[in-house]
Amino acid sequence: MLQPAESIEHIIAHVIGKIKVVAIDTNLVACELTRHNAQKLGIDPAKLAVLHATLQDDGCIEVQQNIAHDESTIDFESEQFDFIVSNPPCTPYSQLADWRKE
C-alpha cells in the first residue's frame, strides 16, 4: 500500500538521491539557499551541483562560483543532460506585444 508523502520536499529529496542535478542561478543568494535547503533535506552533495553563473550572449555559461562541497567543475562542452528545466524571468503582460512571433 502506498503511503502519502510527508511533503513535496521529501519527494524531491528522494528523486535527487537517484539522479545528479545541476542548479544554475544568476542570484548568489538563491544559490546559497538552494545549497542550504539541500543540506536540510539530507541530499548527498555529490548529487547536486549549485553554480552561481550567467548565460553569455554567445550561449556559453560563465561560472562565477561553484557553491558546492566538492568543488568539482562541469564541462558544459562535453556534458550531456537528459532533462533541462528553465525558469526565465517574468515578462510584464504589457511587454508581450513587443515580442517577435516565433
Side-chain angles (χ1 to χ4, degrees), residues 20-24 49 51 61 73-85:
K20 176 141 187 192
V21 174
V22 178
I24 301 172
L51 305 178
I61 296 173
T73 59
I74 297 167
D75 181 3
F76 290 104
E77 296 280 330
S78 63
E79 187 75 32
Q80 292 185 358
F81 296 89
D82 295 319
F83 190 66
I84 297 175
V85 177

Side-chain angles (χ1 to χ4, degrees), residues 2-17:
L2 295 175
Q3 298 294 321
E6 292 180 28
S7 68
I8 190 67
E9 289 86 3
H10 289 94
I11 294 170
I12 292 169
H14 176 73
V15 170
I16 289 178

Side-chain angles (χ1 to χ4, degrees), residues 14-69:
H14 176 73
V15 170
I16 289 178
K18 298 184 181 309
I19 61 175
K20 176 141 187 192
V21 174
V22 178
I24 301 172
D25 204 301
T26 59
N27 184 316
L28 180 58
V29 174
C31 291
E32 291 169 346
L33 183 60
T34 299
R35 176 57 66 195
H36 172 78
N37 287 338
Q39 289 172 337
K40 211 166 107 175
L41 291 168
I43 294 171
D44 180 357
K47 297 287 189 177
L48 175 64
V50 181
L51 305 178
H52 175 228
T54 55
L55 183 62
Q56 303 302 304
D57 290 337
D58 63 0
C60 292
I61 296 173
E62 182 181 339
V63 178
Q64 278 85 39
Q65 188 175 358
N66 184 344
I67 316 290
H69 294 289

